Amino acid sequence: MKPFDFARPETIEDAVAMLDARPAGHANGSALLAGGTDLLTLMKADLSAPDRLIDIKRLAELDNRIEEDEEGLTIGALVTLAQLEEDPRVTALYPALAEASSLAATPQLRHMATIGGNLLQRPRCWYFRNPHVHCWLKGGDECQARQGENQRHAIFDISPCVAVHPSDPATALLALDATVRLRGAAGERELPIADFFAPPTAERCTETIIRGDELIVAVRLPAAQGWRSTYLKAMDRKVWAFALVGVAAALRVDEGRVIDARLALGGVAPIPWRAEAAERLLAGSDISAEVISHAAEAALDGAQPLAKNAYKILLAKALVRRALMALSG
Amino acid sequence: MEPSRHLPVTLSVNGSQYPILIEPRRTLLDALRHDLGLTGAKKVCDMGDCGACTVIVDGKAMYACLLLAVDCDDREITTIEGLATGNELDPVQEAFIRADAFQCGFCTSGQIMSLRALLDANPEPDDDQILRAVTGNLCRCGAYPNILKAGRLAADLQAQAASNGQ
Amino acid sequence: MPEIRVKPKQGENGTELELIEDEGVRAWAPDADLQIVGQPHPRLEGREKVTGRARYASDVRLPGQLYARVLRSPYPHARIVSVDIGKAEQAPGVRAVIHAGNVPRIPWYEEGVLFESTVRFVGDEIAAVAAESEEQAEDALRLIEVEYEPLPFVSTIEEALAPDAPWVHDDGNIAGEPKTYERGDPDAGLRDADVTIDAAYSTASALHNAFESHGCTTFWDGDSLTLWDSTQAIFVIREQVAEKLGLPEHRVRVVKHHMGGGFGAKQIAWKHDVIASLLSRQAGRPVQLMLDREAENLAAGNRNPTRQRVRLGARRDGTLTAIVADIHQASGAYRTGGEASNVSGTYQTLYNCPNVRTEQVAVYTNTGPAVAFRAPGHVEAAFALEQAMDELARTLEMDPVKLRRQNYSEVDQLEGKPFTLPEGLRLSYDRVADAFGWGAEKPPPSSESKRRGVGFAAHDWSGGTGHPPGYAWIELNADGTADVITGTQDIGTGTRTGLAQVAAEELGLPLDCIAFRLGDTATGPYSPVSSGSATQATIGPAVRAAAAEVKAQLLEVASSVLEVGADRLSVRAGRILVDGDEERSIAVSAVTEKIRPHTLQGRGARGPNPEDKTIRTFGAQCVELEVDIETGEIDRLRIAAAHDCGRIVNPTLVDSQVVGGITQGVGFALTEERTVDPRLGLVLNANLEEYHVPTVADAPAIEHARVGVPDSEANSTGAKGIGEPPLIPTAPAIANAVYDAIGIRFREGPLSRARVVAALAEQRAQGEGSRP
Ligand SMILES: Cc1cc2nc3c(=O)[nH]c(=O)nc-3n(C[C@H](O)[C@H](O)[C@H](O)COP(=O)(O)OP(=O)(O)OC[C@H]3O[C@@H](n4cnc5c(N)ncnc54)[C@H](O)[C@@H]3O)c2cc1C
Ligand code: SF4
Ligand code: FES
Ligand code: FES
């Protein structure tokens, strides 16, 4: 890690001001430190070299609590994956999120990792993480993965970058229709998680639309009456690996008829991927093995595998079928 | 590049206070191993990929390699060196010896800290909880079955000790 | 004093002299009534390890100690045009910087030097810095300016062999002489066979990932050097570092009390040993240089990837008529010296077959140098041979265990000598089949989408035999306790404990009266590298010989104390027993106290192995598993293992070796694969993030069916090694079980999720459907 300064603001406002400011000599700007589990790995590989870390874990206003009201659940940005895995309201009403959290990383990391940081973690693409490679996402000319070792990469080609988003909870949150509340120099805004994530573009080489002066304050979940949800994850080994494919499904079923469906896939695109065609197919249908099969096909419609990752299509279809079966049973 | 400032930090480790002067970039693991001379926690990957650096911070098992020492100044840290009382081993340590739960021993302090944290939070874990508690601790020597046995044995030893104490 | 004899023999450099030393003890009878050897016992160093006090190379803290980092090549092949260390030298905290321009040209590898002017793999050493902290050393590395002229490179065996391939070294891409072996007439054997198998297999490069990386802490006192090194071979390091630095051996001391695993990669002095020593000399301070995980995985060894074409010929009844193997292996950028994996061996020896040919060609590639990795060569070969045997069994519609029994060899077919324990493999077959329930009906799979399969594989291993030389000293103290002093090392296998048990047994003392000293060239006598599963079988007899010598002296003294002839005395459990007169037994300490402050001392040397027989270790494993035909997940692994390792000195330790070896075998079978981008020459997973070793949740259920028949002709303890063998048959047994489950043969390892799902899809596309 390169040297940096360390600051501990008292208020969110101070933190925002610090993010916004560029003190002399701080060419690389500041970065927020939450659990540090992604940021420090980037800094150790010299992929990120902020001049100052702004520790937000002790900001009194930034919550590490989960609050319930009639509109749903508010999850403070500092809530850890361990909390999400265990919280009785989350396990009961939003099982996809609890399951995704419990399948992420390891017990130690889940104690450290916050939900805010989890949404903002950078790709695990092995070219991106290798300091010797100056790939497109790092400002270079070329994506090395497209013609390279792309077995862990995206099957939906929506950006010059084909890295996959590494987060499990993000996939679950997408299927649960979460919103993200941000606070920055221009005040507060709240947007659907589907709009929060956006494939990297040449102008914005990141996976979200968060502005440089903004903090995630909370993640909010709508009320969950009638919904059932689940998250399934395929890994290279039994635990402690990023998803080859993750599937989050949420269904509202009434007497065998699907009223509403939401389906999200992880490990398939640079952002958590919403399978809308499949959702449309499911909505209003009488749930059956056949419908589920069609939905699984529809979910992967438009997938364009790279040379070494066609297997992900099959894997994703299998997981989609399983997740829907589990929810309809 | 400016050499960064050193900051004064007081680490509270195994019940003792250690005031030290460190760079903000020093990890808790390096601070323990270098500034405090507590070399029981091991550096294997330095990236959150192995578990050998596991210590208990405010009651929870965490990776010391991904924590900054400056970030730990008001937290209660327990390391492997803090488990035994005098010559008397912690039940988890005792169980590791009896169950032959290590070979080279390099992952061992991390494994023990994960199980210690489990038993602190849940003195009567089932087998699945024991397994889950060490899913974040690799063992390249493959001592896994005996690590699980040691976890079970430790829970039993601790329960015995508690009932004898009553 | 034991007798010694000098025998001339033909070595590589003409006539060499072999010293033959007499152990002076006879082997324990197979049914000898032993008290301590054969009993389970926890490891002697347990307390140190569970309290965090065990000191490893990276735990050494000396006053004024500096920390070193190495600048490594970012290119797979490049000429170094210039190196400028000016800025680095001025950086805060920096105390020494070395590179080709300011150190002697110390010869290294085949034709090279310590800091090469041409770098040949990503990770090759260019310069090094010692600073007050690791962070400052890293800062300084960033300030070293290197100008490279990138050169064309090769990453794979196929690229290296291409007609217009760029050369890794000036003499081409073939690393050393190809190794060929032939007996009988293999072509005729294939021609005359009723059935033949002809299949090409490949194995991936596996990374050792010992938990403790390579590294050392060095310290100069005048012109004497001490290295606390993470090594399997303190005396090899001493010899090689002394040679590289032009020091006499007695000025170099190598210490290693504990080591966080080596798995074969820590048998030689690596460049970092000398780099740390040079930095330490330049700075006049102790220097610690530990490789980080990336460097460990780039530049400190790997298991060579292989391509193996296997041809088998057999008669209808299963009798093998020919075994032919064409083998390519990638040695990486350098040959590290005598560590090339013998992939051919098991083809030549495991099965009885009159017609065998193997050809093994090693190629250079611009990747890190390959070195021994737990059962080098055999692990790779078994993946191919043992699957080919399975293919043969299926073709013949024969039970795979029966096929192997049909081709049983009781002799070493290379030398024409019988084995010391010819039934070793048969016992393994019997015990493992029994423990596993081989041939019993398979229970139904746990769910509809799953298929269950069983698989079998056997192995032999030329290691585990032990060999001279190797020495031990014992001092029986006046209070009746004993110090056993050797120069061997405990690499995590439990060497201390197993050897202390041998000493305790022979001395007749309880184990807690023994202090076992090892791991320091300054305090113990010569011992060879801890590799080849040899340590127990090499040093055990030396320890026993030393103990026997001490015991003879003890009984001599006891005889005067008790006024009974020494021939009527024996020692057991810390007491001197008088034959036929229980009343008169006295404590050992009562005897030794009488001669205080004298002590009794013995020296033991490892004697020669038998000349007319070959020692070998064998084993076999059965695997049961499930494959999910929708998700490709391999699950519910159950493995039974039986391995002939002679007498089991300590079942606890042997069980742990078996379990540990199998666990690494599961990794080799399913997930472990170094991934290199051939366009960039970069290793993409030189970490524990994307290089997936098994976790606790991946560990199979293992049953170890102990064989435990003493091999009394092998050595005086009857024990052979067990460190490496358990890893050998695991991967092919798993692959065979997968075939049994889903009818797909994986000739390319590992059987990763991606490969399995892709193969299932292809199978479905071909409309074959899965076998019931
Ligand atoms: C070995 C390993 C395995 C892992 N496996 C998984 C896995 O299987 N599944 C999975 O989902 N994740 C996995 N992760 C990722 C892990 O969950 C994330 O690193 C973690 O959630 C990030 O949270 P943090 O609090 O540590 O963030 P930090 O590292 O502190 O921050 C990450 C980024 O977010 C920014 N940030 C943090 N909080 C805020 C905020 N409130 N507002 C604005 N910006 C903020 C930081 O500035 C930084 O850029 C793994 C990580 C590791 C190291
Ligand atoms: S996938 Fe993205 S991160 Fe990976 S090499 Fe391509 S551009 Fe870089
Ligand atoms: S050293 Fe911290 S997880 Fe590996
Ligand atoms: S005991 Fe060696 S890594 Fe676990």
Side-chain angles (χ1 to χ4, degrees), chain C residues 377-397:
Chain C
H378 281 57
V379 170
E380 301 91 299
F383 184 76
L385 174 61
E386 287 302 275
Q387 282 205 76
M389 286 296 280
D390 202 63
E391 299 197 40
L392 180 61
R394 301 222 167 235
T395 311
L396 292 166
E397 294 180 353

Side-chain angles (χ1 to χ4, degrees), chain B residues 39-74:
Chain B
T39 55
K42 297 289 185 258
K43 187 190 281 192
V44 168
C45 71
D46 209 26
M47 282 286 191
D49 296 326
C50 77
C53 64
T54 303
V55 297
I56 300 178
V57 180
D58 289 339
K60 301 202 163 87
M62 296 190 186
Y63 295 148
C65 70
L66 291 185
L67 285 166
L68 293 176
V70 285
D71 198 9
C72 295
D73 55 353
D74 49 3

Side-chain angles (χ1 to χ4, degrees), chain C residues 166-248:
Chain C
W167 283 5
V168 180
H169 289 273
D170 294 344
D171 55 352
N173 289 343
I174 303 298
E177 284 296 305
K179 297 188 187 103
T180 50
Y181 169 85
E182 185 166 311
R183 70 168 174 257
D185 187 344
D187 295 319
L190 285 174
R191 232 178 10 247
D192 302 343
D194 295 328
V195 291
T196 56
I197 298 293
D198 183 349
Y201 292 86
S202 69
T203 58
S205 175
L207 300 170
H208 299 68
N209 269 311
F211 249 31
E212 182 186 27
S213 61
H214 287 68
C216 59
T217 307
T218 59
F219 161 67
W220 289 87
D221 184 3
D223 56 359
S224 292
L225 173 69
T226 303
L227 289 110
W228 284 264
D229 201 19
S230 181
T231 180
Q232 299 170 232
I234 53 175
F235 279 93
V236 175
I237 304 303
R238 184 175 81 156
E239 180 190 333
Q240 294 181 347
V241 169
E243 189 204 321
K244 304 277 186 202
L245 294 174
L247 295 169

Side-chain angles (χ1 to χ4, degrees), chain C residues 23-29 34 37 472 474 484 499 502-503 505-507 539-551 603-605 647 715-718:
Chain C
E23 289 172 12
V25 285
R26 274 201 292 163
W28 282 316
L34 304 182
V37 162
I474 297 183
V484 183
L499 292 178
V502 171
E505 183 71 48
E506 185 63 32
L507 287 169
I539 305 298
V543 167
R544 196 176 157 219
E549 197 175 299
V550 171
K551 185 165 74 178
R603 170 188 176 278
R647 182 190 303 282
N715 63 62
S716 77
T717 65

Side-chain angles (χ1 to χ4, degrees), chain A residues 1-3 46 124 126-127 130 132-133 144 147-149 151-152 234-242 244 311 314-315 318-319 321-322, chain C residues 74 138 142 449 628 630-631 633-635 671 675-680 682-685 689-690 692-693 695 697-698 753-754 757-758 761:
Chain A
M1 275 189 278
K2 294 184 181 157
D46 279 357
R124 289 278 163 176
W126 46 21
Y127 296 96
N130 191 317
H132 301 312
V133 179
Q144 299 293 349
Q147 307 302 325
E149 299 299 313
Q151 41 272 56
R152 316 241 164 123
M235 290 176 262
D236 216 20
R237 60 181 177 192
K238 300 282 175 260
V239 293
W240 203 350
F242 288 94
L244 296 172
Y311 75 95
L314 295 138
L315 199 49
L319 292 198
R321 281 196 302 271
R322 260 187 211 182
Chain C
E138 246 159 60
R142 295 189 191 100
S449 64
D628 189 315
E630 289 174 4
T631 66
E633 186 175 18
I634 294 173
D635 210 359
T671 55
T675 306
V676 180
D677 183 319
R679 300 160 316 148
L680 308 175
L682 281 179
V683 178
L684 297 172
N685 56 353
E689 178 72 56
E690 298 286 354
H692 286 149
V693 307
T695 70
D698 298 281
R753 197 74 181 266
V757 174

Side-chain angles (χ1 to χ4, degrees), chain A residues 19 31-42 56 62 77-78 81 100 103-106 109 112-122 124 166-170 182 210 214-217 233 235 240-243, chain B residues 47-50 63 66, chain C residues 689:
Chain A
L19 272 180
L32 301 177
L33 175 73
T37 59
D38 193 47
L39 187 57
L40 293 196
T41 60
L42 293 166
I56 53 173
L62 205 59
L78 294 178
L81 301 193
L103 287 167
T106 66
L109 284 164
M112 305 161 75
T114 66
I115 188 66
N118 187 275
L119 299 183
L120 290 168
Q121 62 177 306
R122 300 309 310 279
R124 289 278 163 176
S167 167
D168 296 303
L182 304 171
I210 192 168
E214 277 180 321
L215 264 74
I216 297 180
V217 182
K233 177 178 182 181
M235 290 176 262
W240 203 350
F242 288 94
Chain B
M47 282 286 191
D49 296 326
C50 77
Y63 295 148
L66 291 185
Chain C
E689 178 72 56

